PDB file of all heavy atoms in Angstrom:
ATOM      1  N   PHE A  14       0.818  -1.213   0.000  1.00 89.00           N
ATOM      2  CA  PHE A  14       0.000   0.000   0.000  1.00 89.00           C
ATOM      3  C   PHE A  14       0.851   1.263   0.000  1.00 89.00           C
ATOM      4  O   PHE A  14       0.344   2.354   0.291  1.00 89.00           O
ATOM      5  CB  PHE A  14      -0.927  -0.005   1.224  1.00 89.00           C
ATOM      6  CG  PHE A  14      -1.723  -1.271   1.380  1.00 89.00           C
ATOM      7  CD1 PHE A  14      -1.320  -2.257   2.277  1.00 89.00           C
ATOM      8  CD2 PHE A  14      -2.843  -1.494   0.607  1.00 89.00           C
ATOM      9  CE1 PHE A  14      -2.054  -3.423   2.418  1.00 89.00           C
ATOM     10  CE2 PHE A  14      -3.575  -2.658   0.742  1.00 89.00           C
ATOM     11  CZ  PHE A  14      -3.176  -3.633   1.648  1.00 89.00           C
ATOM     12  N   LYS A  15       2.129   1.124  -0.313  1.00 90.00           N
ATOM     13  CA  LYS A  15       3.016   2.292  -0.329  1.00 90.00           C
ATOM     14  C   LYS A  15       2.672   3.188  -1.515  1.00 90.00           C
ATOM     15  O   LYS A  15       2.398   2.726  -2.607  1.00 90.00           O
ATOM     16  CB  LYS A  15       4.470   1.839  -0.393  1.00 90.00           C
ATOM     17  CG  LYS A  15       5.464   2.983  -0.293  1.00 90.00           C
ATOM     18  CD  LYS A  15       6.885   2.462  -0.237  1.00 90.00           C
ATOM     19  CE  LYS A  15       7.140   1.749   1.101  1.00 90.00           C
ATOM     20  NZ  LYS A  15       8.559   1.363   1.230  1.00 90.00           N
ATOM     21  N   ARG A  16       2.727   4.489  -1.285  1.00 91.00           N
ATOM     22  CA  ARG A  16       2.412   5.470  -2.323  1.00 91.00           C
ATOM     23  C   ARG A  16       3.696   6.104  -2.860  1.00 91.00           C
ATOM     24  O   ARG A  16       4.675   6.257  -2.122  1.00 91.00           O
ATOM     25  CB  ARG A  16       1.486   6.559  -1.771  1.00 91.00           C
ATOM     26  CG  ARG A  16       0.129   6.034  -1.307  1.00 91.00           C
ATOM     27  CD  ARG A  16      -0.719   7.154  -0.735  1.00 91.00           C
ATOM     28  NE  ARG A  16      -2.016   6.662  -0.279  1.00 91.00           N
ATOM     29  CZ  ARG A  16      -3.100   6.598  -1.041  1.00 91.00           C
ATOM     30  NH1 ARG A  16      -3.042   7.034  -2.310  1.00 91.00           N
ATOM     31  NH2 ARG A  16      -4.241   6.138  -0.566  1.00 91.00           N
ATOM     32  N   ASN A  17       3.678   6.469  -4.127  1.00 88.00           N
ATOM     33  CA  ASN A  17       4.811   7.167  -4.705  1.00 88.00           C
ATOM     34  C   ASN A  17       4.694   8.666  -4.453  1.00 88.00           C
ATOM     35  O   ASN A  17       3.831   9.116  -3.702  1.00 88.00           O
ATOM     36  CB  ASN A  17       4.921   6.863  -6.208  1.00 88.00           C
ATOM     37  CG  ASN A  17       3.644   7.240  -6.963  1.00 88.00           C
ATOM     38  OD1 ASN A  17       2.776   7.926  -6.431  1.00 88.00           O
ATOM     39  ND2 ASN A  17       3.536   6.772  -8.190  1.00 88.00           N
ATOM     40  N   TYR A  18       5.573   9.452  -5.104  1.00 90.00           N
ATOM     41  CA  TYR A  18       5.567  10.890  -4.873  1.00 90.00           C
ATOM     42  C   TYR A  18       4.257  11.544  -5.318  1.00 90.00           C
ATOM     43  O   TYR A  18       3.864  12.579  -4.786  1.00 90.00           O
ATOM     44  CB  TYR A  18       6.741  11.540  -5.601  1.00 90.00           C
ATOM     45  CG  TYR A  18       8.041  11.452  -4.836  1.00 90.00           C
ATOM     46  CD1 TYR A  18       9.258  11.734  -5.449  1.00 90.00           C
ATOM     47  CD2 TYR A  18       8.057  11.107  -3.496  1.00 90.00           C
ATOM     48  CE1 TYR A  18      10.453  11.661  -4.749  1.00 90.00           C
ATOM     49  CE2 TYR A  18       9.240  11.024  -2.791  1.00 90.00           C
ATOM     50  CZ  TYR A  18      10.433  11.307  -3.419  1.00 90.00           C
ATOM     51  OH  TYR A  18      11.600  11.235  -2.711  1.00 90.00           O
ATOM     52  N   LYS A  19       3.574  10.945  -6.288  1.00 89.00           N
ATOM     53  CA  LYS A  19       2.293  11.489  -6.745  1.00 89.00           C
ATOM     54  C   LYS A  19       1.125  11.052  -5.866  1.00 89.00           C
ATOM     55  O   LYS A  19      -0.009  11.475  -6.090  1.00 89.00           O
ATOM     56  CB  LYS A  19       2.030  11.044  -8.185  1.00 89.00           C
ATOM     57  CG  LYS A  19       3.022  11.610  -9.184  1.00 89.00           C
ATOM     58  CD  LYS A  19       2.657  11.170 -10.599  1.00 89.00           C
ATOM     59  CE  LYS A  19       3.637  11.743 -11.622  1.00 89.00           C
ATOM     60  NZ  LYS A  19       3.296  11.324 -12.998  1.00 89.00           N
ATOM     61  N   GLY A  20       1.403  10.200  -4.903  1.00 89.00           N
ATOM     62  CA  GLY A  20       0.361   9.740  -4.012  1.00 89.00           C
ATOM     63  C   GLY A  20      -0.440   8.565  -4.541  1.00 89.00           C
ATOM     64  O   GLY A  20      -1.524   8.268  -4.025  1.00 89.00           O
ATOM     65  N   ASP A  21       0.069   7.880  -5.569  1.00 90.00           N
ATOM     66  CA  ASP A  21      -0.649   6.768  -6.182  1.00 90.00           C
ATOM     67  C   ASP A  21      -0.134   5.441  -5.633  1.00 90.00           C
ATOM     68  O   ASP A  21       1.075   5.230  -5.514  1.00 90.00           O
ATOM     69  CB  ASP A  21      -0.475   6.779  -7.704  1.00 90.00           C
ATOM     70  CG  ASP A  21      -1.041   8.037  -8.338  1.00 90.00           C
ATOM     71  OD1 ASP A  21      -1.979   8.613  -7.736  1.00 90.00           O
ATOM     72  OD2 ASP A  21      -0.540   8.450  -9.403  1.00 90.00           O
ATOM     73  N   THR A  22      -1.048   4.573  -5.306  1.00 91.00           N
ATOM     74  CA  THR A  22      -0.679   3.208  -4.932  1.00 91.00           C
ATOM     75  C   THR A  22      -0.539   2.362  -6.188  1.00 91.00           C
ATOM     76  O   THR A  22      -0.951   2.748  -7.283  1.00 91.00           O
ATOM     77  CB  THR A  22      -1.740   2.601  -4.013  1.00 91.00           C
ATOM     78  OG1 THR A  22      -2.998   2.548  -4.715  1.00 91.00           O
ATOM     79  CG2 THR A  22      -1.897   3.426  -2.745  1.00 91.00           C
ATOM     80  N   ALA A  23       0.030   1.177  -6.016  1.00 92.00           N
ATOM     81  CA  ALA A  23       0.201   0.285  -7.166  1.00 92.00           C
ATOM     82  C   ALA A  23      -1.147  -0.176  -7.718  1.00 92.00           C
ATOM     83  O   ALA A  23      -1.327  -0.323  -8.930  1.00 92.00           O
ATOM     84  CB  ALA A  23       1.057  -0.917  -6.766  1.00 92.00           C
ATOM     85  N   GLN A  24      -2.106  -0.399  -6.833  1.00 92.00           N
ATOM     86  CA  GLN A  24      -3.441  -0.833  -7.263  1.00 92.00           C
ATOM     87  C   GLN A  24      -4.118   0.244  -8.101  1.00 92.00           C
ATOM     88  O   GLN A  24      -4.785  -0.058  -9.108  1.00 92.00           O
ATOM     89  CB  GLN A  24      -4.291  -1.160  -6.040  1.00 92.00           C
ATOM     90  CG  GLN A  24      -5.678  -1.692  -6.371  1.00 92.00           C
ATOM     91  CD  GLN A  24      -5.626  -3.031  -7.081  1.00 92.00           C
ATOM     92  OE1 GLN A  24      -4.927  -3.936  -6.643  1.00 92.00           O
ATOM     93  NE2 GLN A  24      -6.355  -3.156  -8.181  1.00 92.00           N
ATOM     94  N   LEU A  25      -3.945   1.503  -7.715  1.00 93.00           N
ATOM     95  CA  LEU A  25      -4.522   2.600  -8.475  1.00 93.00           C
ATOM     96  C   LEU A  25      -3.893   2.704  -9.863  1.00 93.00           C
ATOM     97  O   LEU A  25      -4.593   2.916 -10.870  1.00 93.00           O
ATOM     98  CB  LEU A  25      -4.351   3.916  -7.712  1.00 93.00           C
ATOM     99  CG  LEU A  25      -4.915   5.174  -8.379  1.00 93.00           C
ATOM    100  CD1 LEU A  25      -6.419   5.054  -8.541  1.00 93.00           C
ATOM    101  CD2 LEU A  25      -4.559   6.425  -7.565  1.00 93.00           C
ATOM    102  N   ILE A  26      -2.578   2.528  -9.931  1.00 93.00           N
ATOM    103  CA  ILE A  26      -1.898   2.578 -11.232  1.00 93.00           C
ATOM    104  C   ILE A  26      -2.329   1.412 -12.106  1.00 93.00           C
ATOM    105  O   ILE A  26      -2.531   1.564 -13.314  1.00 93.00           O
ATOM    106  CB  ILE A  26      -0.373   2.581 -11.019  1.00 93.00           C
ATOM    107  CG1 ILE A  26       0.062   3.873 -10.320  1.00 93.00           C
ATOM    108  CG2 ILE A  26       0.359   2.430 -12.351  1.00 93.00           C
ATOM    109  CD1 ILE A  26       1.539   3.944 -10.021  1.00 93.00           C
ATOM    110  N   PHE A  27      -2.482   0.242 -11.510  1.00 94.00           N
ATOM    111  CA  PHE A  27      -2.931  -0.929 -12.276  1.00 94.00           C
ATOM    112  C   PHE A  27      -4.318  -0.683 -12.874  1.00 94.00           C
ATOM    113  O   PHE A  27      -4.566  -0.998 -14.044  1.00 94.00           O
ATOM    114  CB  PHE A  27      -2.964  -2.152 -11.367  1.00 94.00           C
ATOM    115  CG  PHE A  27      -3.373  -3.412 -12.057  1.00 94.00           C
ATOM    116  CD1 PHE A  27      -2.426  -4.206 -12.701  1.00 94.00           C
ATOM    117  CD2 PHE A  27      -4.699  -3.821 -12.090  1.00 94.00           C
ATOM    118  CE1 PHE A  27      -2.799  -5.373 -13.351  1.00 94.00           C
ATOM    119  CE2 PHE A  27      -5.079  -4.980 -12.723  1.00 94.00           C
ATOM    120  CZ  PHE A  27      -4.132  -5.762 -13.364  1.00 94.00           C
ATOM    121  N   THR A  28      -5.215  -0.123 -12.098  1.00 93.00           N
ATOM    122  CA  THR A  28      -6.570   0.160 -12.595  1.00 93.00           C
ATOM    123  C   THR A  28      -6.542   1.177 -13.717  1.00 93.00           C
ATOM    124  O   THR A  28      -7.267   1.042 -14.716  1.00 93.00           O
ATOM    125  CB  THR A  28      -7.454   0.665 -11.440  1.00 93.00           C
ATOM    126  OG1 THR A  28      -7.443  -0.296 -10.384  1.00 93.00           O
ATOM    127  CG2 THR A  28      -8.875   0.878 -11.909  1.00 93.00           C
ATOM    128  N   GLU A  29      -5.696   2.196 -13.582  1.00 93.00           N
ATOM    129  CA  GLU A  29      -5.631   3.244 -14.591  1.00 93.00           C
ATOM    130  C   GLU A  29      -4.979   2.751 -15.881  1.00 93.00           C
ATOM    131  O   GLU A  29      -5.473   3.036 -16.979  1.00 93.00           O
ATOM    132  CB  GLU A  29      -4.848   4.436 -14.021  1.00 93.00           C
ATOM    133  CG  GLU A  29      -4.791   5.641 -14.944  1.00 93.00           C
ATOM    134  CD  GLU A  29      -6.143   6.297 -15.144  1.00 93.00           C
ATOM    135  OE1 GLU A  29      -7.015   6.138 -14.255  1.00 93.00           O
ATOM    136  OE2 GLU A  29      -6.329   6.954 -16.183  1.00 93.00           O
ATOM    137  N   LYS A  30      -3.898   2.005 -15.761  1.00 92.00           N
ATOM    138  CA  LYS A  30      -3.167   1.566 -16.947  1.00 92.00           C
ATOM    139  C   LYS A  30      -3.911   0.478 -17.717  1.00 92.00           C
ATOM    140  O   LYS A  30      -3.707   0.324 -18.926  1.00 92.00           O
ATOM    141  CB  LYS A  30      -1.789   1.048 -16.544  1.00 92.00           C
ATOM    142  CG  LYS A  30      -0.865   2.104 -15.959  1.00 92.00           C
ATOM    143  CD  LYS A  30      -0.501   3.157 -16.974  1.00 92.00           C
ATOM    144  CE  LYS A  30       0.493   4.164 -16.395  1.00 92.00           C
ATOM    145  NZ  LYS A  30       0.864   5.211 -17.385  1.00 92.00           N
ATOM    146  N   HIS A  31      -4.754  -0.287 -17.038  1.00 92.00           N
ATOM    147  CA  HIS A  31      -5.443  -1.400 -17.688  1.00 92.00           C
ATOM    148  C   HIS A  31      -6.901  -1.083 -17.992  1.00 92.00           C
ATOM    149  O   HIS A  31      -7.700  -1.994 -18.220  1.00 92.00           O
ATOM    150  CB  HIS A  31      -5.367  -2.650 -16.795  1.00 92.00           C
ATOM    151  CG  HIS A  31      -3.987  -3.205 -16.654  1.00 92.00           C
ATOM    152  ND1 HIS A  31      -3.050  -2.661 -15.818  1.00 92.00           N
ATOM    153  CD2 HIS A  31      -3.398  -4.266 -17.246  1.00 92.00           C
ATOM    154  CE1 HIS A  31      -1.929  -3.353 -15.896  1.00 92.00           C
ATOM    155  NE2 HIS A  31      -2.113  -4.336 -16.740  1.00 92.00           N
ATOM    156  N   LYS A  32      -7.238   0.189 -17.998  1.00 92.00           N
ATOM    157  CA  LYS A  32      -8.620   0.576 -18.264  1.00 92.00           C
ATOM    158  C   LYS A  32      -9.051   0.174 -19.670  1.00 92.00           C
ATOM    159  O   LYS A  32     -10.129  -0.399 -19.871  1.00 92.00           O
ATOM    160  CB  LYS A  32      -8.766   2.089 -18.076  1.00 92.00           C
ATOM    161  CG  LYS A  32     -10.196   2.595 -18.196  1.00 92.00           C
ATOM    162  CD  LYS A  32     -10.241   4.111 -18.056  1.00 92.00           C
ATOM    163  CE  LYS A  32      -9.693   4.545 -16.706  1.00 92.00           C
ATOM    164  NZ  LYS A  32      -9.790   6.025 -16.534  1.00 92.00           N
ATOM    165  N   ASP A  33      -8.214   0.451 -20.653  1.00 92.00           N
ATOM    166  CA  ASP A  33      -8.567   0.110 -22.042  1.00 92.00           C
ATOM    167  C   ASP A  33      -8.591  -1.405 -22.252  1.00 92.00           C
ATOM    168  O   ASP A  33      -9.464  -1.926 -22.955  1.00 92.00           O
ATOM    169  CB  ASP A  33      -7.575   0.753 -23.010  1.00 92.00           C
ATOM    170  CG  ASP A  33      -7.658   2.277 -22.991  1.00 92.00           C
ATOM    171  OD1 ASP A  33      -8.724   2.804 -22.594  1.00 92.00           O
ATOM    172  OD2 ASP A  33      -6.660   2.932 -23.345  1.00 92.00           O
ATOM    173  N   LEU A  34      -7.630  -2.101 -21.657  1.00 92.00           N
ATOM    174  CA  LEU A  34      -7.602  -3.556 -21.803  1.00 92.00           C
ATOM    175  C   LEU A  34      -8.822  -4.191 -21.140  1.00 92.00           C
ATOM    176  O   LEU A  34      -9.370  -5.169 -21.659  1.00 92.00           O
ATOM    177  CB  LEU A  34      -6.320  -4.111 -21.193  1.00 92.00           C
ATOM    178  CG  LEU A  34      -6.101  -5.626 -21.325  1.00 92.00           C
ATOM    179  CD1 LEU A  34      -6.042  -6.032 -22.790  1.00 92.00           C
ATOM    180  CD2 LEU A  34      -4.828  -6.054 -20.601  1.00 92.00           C
ATOM    181  N   LEU A  35      -9.281  -3.625 -20.032  1.00 92.00           N
ATOM    182  CA  LEU A  35     -10.479  -4.136 -19.372  1.00 92.00           C
ATOM    183  C   LEU A  35     -11.706  -3.946 -20.254  1.00 92.00           C
ATOM    184  O   LEU A  35     -12.560  -4.844 -20.349  1.00 92.00           O
ATOM    185  CB  LEU A  35     -10.666  -3.425 -18.029  1.00 92.00           C
ATOM    186  CG  LEU A  35     -11.891  -3.831 -17.208  1.00 92.00           C
ATOM    187  CD1 LEU A  35     -11.827  -5.310 -16.846  1.00 92.00           C
ATOM    188  CD2 LEU A  35     -12.006  -2.972 -15.953  1.00 92.00           C
ATOM    189  N   LYS A  36     -11.787  -2.795 -20.910  1.00 92.00           N
ATOM    190  CA  LYS A  36     -12.920  -2.559 -21.816  1.00 92.00           C
ATOM    191  C   LYS A  36     -12.890  -3.530 -22.989  1.00 92.00           C
ATOM    192  O   LYS A  36     -13.938  -4.090 -23.391  1.00 92.00           O
ATOM    193  CB  LYS A  36     -12.852  -1.110 -22.332  1.00 92.00           C
ATOM    194  CG  LYS A  36     -13.988  -0.714 -23.258  1.00 92.00           C
ATOM    195  CD  LYS A  36     -15.316  -0.723 -22.521  1.00 92.00           C
ATOM    196  CE  LYS A  36     -16.444  -0.124 -23.361  1.00 92.00           C
ATOM    197  NZ  LYS A  36     -16.632  -0.773 -24.650  1.00 92.00           N
ATOM    198  N   LYS A  37     -11.707  -3.765 -23.543  1.00 91.00           N
ATOM    199  CA  LYS A  37     -11.590  -4.709 -24.654  1.00 91.00           C
ATOM    200  C   LYS A  37     -11.938  -6.133 -24.213  1.00 91.00           C
ATOM    201  O   LYS A  37     -12.563  -6.884 -24.970  1.00 91.00           O
ATOM    202  CB  LYS A  37     -10.171  -4.677 -25.213  1.00 91.00           C
ATOM    203  CG  LYS A  37      -9.811  -3.376 -25.922  1.00 91.00           C
ATOM    204  CD  LYS A  37      -8.383  -3.419 -26.442  1.00 91.00           C
ATOM    205  CE  LYS A  37      -8.003  -2.114 -27.137  1.00 91.00           C
ATOM    206  NZ  LYS A  37      -6.601  -2.136 -27.621  1.00 91.00           N
ATOM    207  N   SER A  38     -11.529  -6.484 -23.015  1.00 89.00           N
ATOM    208  CA  SER A  38     -11.831  -7.839 -22.527  1.00 89.00           C
ATOM    209  C   SER A  38     -13.326  -8.015 -22.302  1.00 89.00           C
ATOM    210  O   SER A  38     -13.882  -9.095 -22.564  1.00 89.00           O
ATOM    211  CB  SER A  38     -11.068  -8.109 -21.230  1.00 89.00           C
ATOM    212  OG  SER A  38     -11.466  -7.202 -20.210  1.00 89.00           O
ATOM    213  N   GLU A  39     -14.010  -6.965 -21.828  1.00 89.00           N
ATOM    214  CA  GLU A  39     -15.461  -7.045 -21.655  1.00 89.00           C
ATOM    215  C   GLU A  39     -16.168  -7.224 -22.995  1.00 89.00           C
ATOM    216  O   GLU A  39     -17.092  -8.040 -23.117  1.00 89.00           O
ATOM    217  CB  GLU A  39     -15.966  -5.788 -20.950  1.00 89.00           C
ATOM    218  CG  GLU A  39     -15.533  -5.688 -19.487  1.00 89.00           C
ATOM    219  CD  GLU A  39     -15.978  -4.379 -18.855  1.00 89.00           C
ATOM    220  OE1 GLU A  39     -16.479  -3.503 -19.611  1.00 89.00           O
ATOM    221  OE2 GLU A  39     -15.828  -4.229 -17.628  1.00 89.00           O
ATOM    222  N   ASP A  40     -15.740  -6.439 -24.001  1.00 89.00           N
ATOM    223  CA  ASP A  40     -16.338  -6.578 -25.332  1.00 89.00           C
ATOM    224  C   ASP A  40     -16.044  -7.956 -25.915  1.00 89.00           C
ATOM    225  O   ASP A  40     -16.911  -8.557 -26.576  1.00 89.00           O
ATOM    226  CB  ASP A  40     -15.803  -5.484 -26.261  1.00 89.00           C
ATOM    227  CG  ASP A  40     -16.212  -4.095 -25.798  1.00 89.00           C
ATOM    228  OD1 ASP A  40     -17.205  -3.990 -25.047  1.00 89.00           O
ATOM    229  OD2 ASP A  40     -15.531  -3.110 -26.172  1.00 89.00           O
ATOM    230  N   TRP A  41     -14.840  -8.440 -25.672  1.00 88.00           N
ATOM    231  CA  TRP A  41     -14.471  -9.763 -26.186  1.00 88.00           C
ATOM    232  C   TRP A  41     -15.321 -10.853 -25.543  1.00 88.00           C
ATOM    233  O   TRP A  41     -15.767 -11.788 -26.208  1.00 88.00           O
ATOM    234  CB  TRP A  41     -12.988 -10.013 -25.916  1.00 88.00           C
ATOM    235  CG  TRP A  41     -12.463 -11.301 -26.463  1.00 88.00           C
ATOM    236  CD1 TRP A  41     -12.047 -11.546 -27.741  1.00 88.00           C
ATOM    237  CD2 TRP A  41     -12.286 -12.534 -25.739  1.00 88.00           C
ATOM    238  NE1 TRP A  41     -11.616 -12.845 -27.872  1.00 88.00           N
ATOM    239  CE2 TRP A  41     -11.760 -13.479 -26.656  1.00 88.00           C
ATOM    240  CE3 TRP A  41     -12.519 -12.915 -24.425  1.00 88.00           C
ATOM    241  CZ2 TRP A  41     -11.461 -14.774 -26.273  1.00 88.00           C
ATOM    242  CZ3 TRP A  41     -12.221 -14.215 -24.059  1.00 88.00           C
ATOM    243  CH2 TRP A  41     -11.706 -15.130 -24.972  1.00 88.00           C
ATOM    244  N   MET A  42     -15.563 -10.731 -24.251  1.00 88.00           N
ATOM    245  CA  MET A  42     -16.400 -11.712 -23.565  1.00 88.00           C
ATOM    246  C   MET A  42     -17.841 -11.664 -24.060  1.00 88.00           C
ATOM    247  O   MET A  42     -18.489 -12.700 -24.236  1.00 88.00           O
ATOM    248  CB  MET A  42     -16.357 -11.456 -22.059  1.00 88.00           C
ATOM    249  CG  MET A  42     -15.037 -11.820 -21.405  1.00 88.00           C
ATOM    250  SD  MET A  42     -14.719 -13.590 -21.443  1.00 88.00           S
ATOM    251  CE  MET A  42     -15.987 -14.171 -20.332  1.00 88.00           C
ATOM    252  N   LYS A  43     -18.355 -10.457 -24.316  1.00 88.00           N
ATOM    253  CA  LYS A  43     -19.717 -10.333 -24.823  1.00 88.00           C
ATOM    254  C   LYS A  43     -19.840 -10.966 -26.207  1.00 88.00           C
ATOM    255  O   LYS A  43     -20.802 -11.693 -26.493  1.00 88.00           O
ATOM    256  CB  LYS A  43     -20.125  -8.865 -24.871  1.00 88.00           C
ATOM    257  CG  LYS A  43     -20.309  -8.232 -23.500  1.00 88.00           C
ATOM    258  CD  LYS A  43     -20.686  -6.765 -23.627  1.00 88.00           C
ATOM    259  CE  LYS A  43     -20.857  -6.125 -22.253  1.00 88.00           C
ATOM    260  NZ  LYS A  43     -21.194  -4.672 -22.340  1.00 88.00           N
ATOM    261  N   ASP A  44     -18.891 -10.674 -27.081  1.00 87.00           N
ATOM    262  CA  ASP A  44     -18.931 -11.247 -28.431  1.00 87.00           C
ATOM    263  C   ASP A  44     -18.804 -12.767 -28.388  1.00 87.00           C
ATOM    264  O   ASP A  44     -19.509 -13.484 -29.110  1.00 87.00           O
ATOM    265  CB  ASP A  44     -17.817 -10.645 -29.288  1.00 87.00           C
ATOM    266  CG  ASP A  44     -18.001  -9.154 -29.519  1.00 87.00           C
ATOM    267  OD1 ASP A  44     -19.151  -8.676 -29.359  1.00 87.00           O
ATOM    268  OD2 ASP A  44     -17.004  -8.473 -29.820  1.00 87.00           O
ATOM    269  N   THR A  45     -17.910 -13.242 -27.538  1.00 85.00           N
ATOM    270  CA  THR A  45     -17.720 -14.689 -27.447  1.00 85.00           C
ATOM    271  C   THR A  45     -18.960 -15.382 -26.874  1.00 85.00           C
ATOM    272  O   THR A  45     -19.385 -16.427 -27.373  1.00 85.00           O
ATOM    273  CB  THR A  45     -16.498 -15.002 -26.560  1.00 85.00           C
ATOM    274  OG1 THR A  45     -15.345 -14.337 -27.081  1.00 85.00           O
ATOM    275  CG2 THR A  45     -16.230 -16.499 -26.512  1.00 85.00           C
ATOM    276  N   SER A  46     -19.544 -14.781 -25.838  1.00 86.00           N
ATOM    277  CA  SER A  46     -20.745 -15.382 -25.250  1.00 86.00           C
ATOM    278  C   SER A  46     -21.912 -15.346 -26.222  1.00 86.00           C
ATOM    279  O   SER A  46     -22.711 -16.292 -26.294  1.00 86.00           O
ATOM    280  CB  SER A  46     -21.109 -14.653 -23.962  1.00 86.00           C
ATOM    281  OG  SER A  46     -21.390 -13.285 -24.216  1.00 86.00           O
ATOM    282  N   GLY A  47     -22.028 -14.263 -27.013  1.00 87.00           N
ATOM    283  CA  GLY A  47     -23.087 -14.201 -28.020  1.00 87.00           C
ATOM    284  C   GLY A  47     -22.930 -15.264 -29.078  1.00 87.00           C
ATOM    285  O   GLY A  47     -23.910 -15.916 -29.487  1.00 87.00           O
ATOM    286  N   SER A  48     -21.712 -15.465 -29.518  1.00 87.00           N
ATOM    287  CA  SER A  48     -21.464 -16.509 -30.525  1.00 87.00           C
ATOM    288  C   SER A  48     -21.761 -17.890 -29.957  1.00 87.00           C
ATOM    289  O   SER A  48     -22.340 -18.741 -30.642  1.00 87.00           O
ATOM    290  CB  SER A  48     -20.011 -16.435 -31.006  1.00 87.00           C
ATOM    291  OG  SER A  48     -19.734 -15.164 -31.558  1.00 87.00           O
ATOM    292  N   CYS A  49     -21.407 -18.105 -28.706  1.00 89.00           N
ATOM    293  CA  CYS A  49     -21.677 -19.404 -28.080  1.00 89.00           C
ATOM    294  C   CYS A  49     -23.175 -19.646 -27.911  1.00 89.00           C
ATOM    295  O   CYS A  49     -23.654 -20.779 -28.069  1.00 89.00           O
ATOM    296  CB  CYS A  49     -20.979 -19.480 -26.724  1.00 89.00           C
ATOM    297  SG  CYS A  49     -19.175 -19.519 -26.811  1.00 89.00           S
ATOM    298  N   MET A  50     -23.941 -18.574 -27.616  1.00 89.00           N
ATOM    299  CA  MET A  50     -25.390 -18.722 -27.479  1.00 89.00           C
ATOM    300  C   MET A  50     -26.033 -19.091 -28.803  1.00 89.00           C
ATOM    301  O   MET A  50     -26.956 -19.916 -28.856  1.00 89.00           O
ATOM    302  CB  MET A  50     -25.998 -17.424 -26.933  1.00 89.00           C
ATOM    303  CG  MET A  50     -25.677 -17.146 -25.469  1.00 89.00           C
ATOM    304  SD  MET A  50     -26.399 -15.611 -24.884  1.00 89.00           S
ATOM    305  CE  MET A  50     -28.132 -15.988 -25.067  1.00 89.00           C
ATOM    306  N   ILE A  51     -25.561 -18.486 -29.899  1.00 89.00           N
ATOM    307  CA  ILE A  51     -26.119 -18.810 -31.221  1.00 89.00           C
ATOM    308  C   ILE A  51     -25.835 -20.264 -31.572  1.00 89.00           C
ATOM    309  O   ILE A  51     -26.719 -21.012 -32.020  1.00 89.00           O
ATOM    310  CB  ILE A  51     -25.528 -17.859 -32.276  1.00 89.00           C
ATOM    311  CG1 ILE A  51     -26.016 -16.431 -32.019  1.00 89.00           C
ATOM    312  CG2 ILE A  51     -25.927 -18.314 -33.681  1.00 89.00           C
ATOM    313  CD1 ILE A  51     -25.386 -15.402 -32.938  1.00 89.00           C
ATOM    314  N   VAL A  52     -24.604 -20.696 -31.360  1.00 89.00           N
ATOM    315  CA  VAL A  52     -24.237 -22.083 -31.657  1.00 89.00           C
ATOM    316  C   VAL A  52     -25.017 -23.042 -30.765  1.00 89.00           C
ATOM    317  O   VAL A  52     -25.509 -24.096 -31.218  1.00 89.00           O
ATOM    318  CB  VAL A  52     -22.721 -22.280 -31.485  1.00 89.00           C
ATOM    319  CG1 VAL A  52     -22.356 -23.745 -31.649  1.00 89.00           C
ATOM    320  CG2 VAL A  52     -21.959 -21.427 -32.477  1.00 89.00           C
TER     321      VAL A  52
END
C-alpha cells in the first residue's frame, strides 16, 4: 500500500493503466458469449 511521490498506490496505477484492456476484454467476452449462445 506504499504510495509514490504522486500519491498513487500500485493498485490505483494498475486500474488506470489497464482501463482500455479491461474494456476490450469485456467486449471480447460479450462477443464470445453471443457466438456461443447462437451455436
Side-chain angles (χ1 to χ4, degrees):
F14 309 100
K15 185 175 291 186
R16 297 178 180 270
N17 57 13
Y18 278 167
K19 295 182 179 180
D21 298 333
T22 61
Q24 183 65 48
L25 180 62
I26 294 178
F27 182 87
T28 304
E29 184 67 24
K30 295 295 183 180
H31 293 79
K32 186 182 300 183
D33 294 337
L34 183 61
L35 179 61
K36 181 65 171 56
K37 292 180 181 179
S38 62
E39 291 176 352
D40 296 338
W41 183 83
M42 288 294 292
K43 291 179 181 179
D44 295 340
T45 304
S46 61
S48 301
C49 292
M50 289 180 63
I51 293 175
V52 174

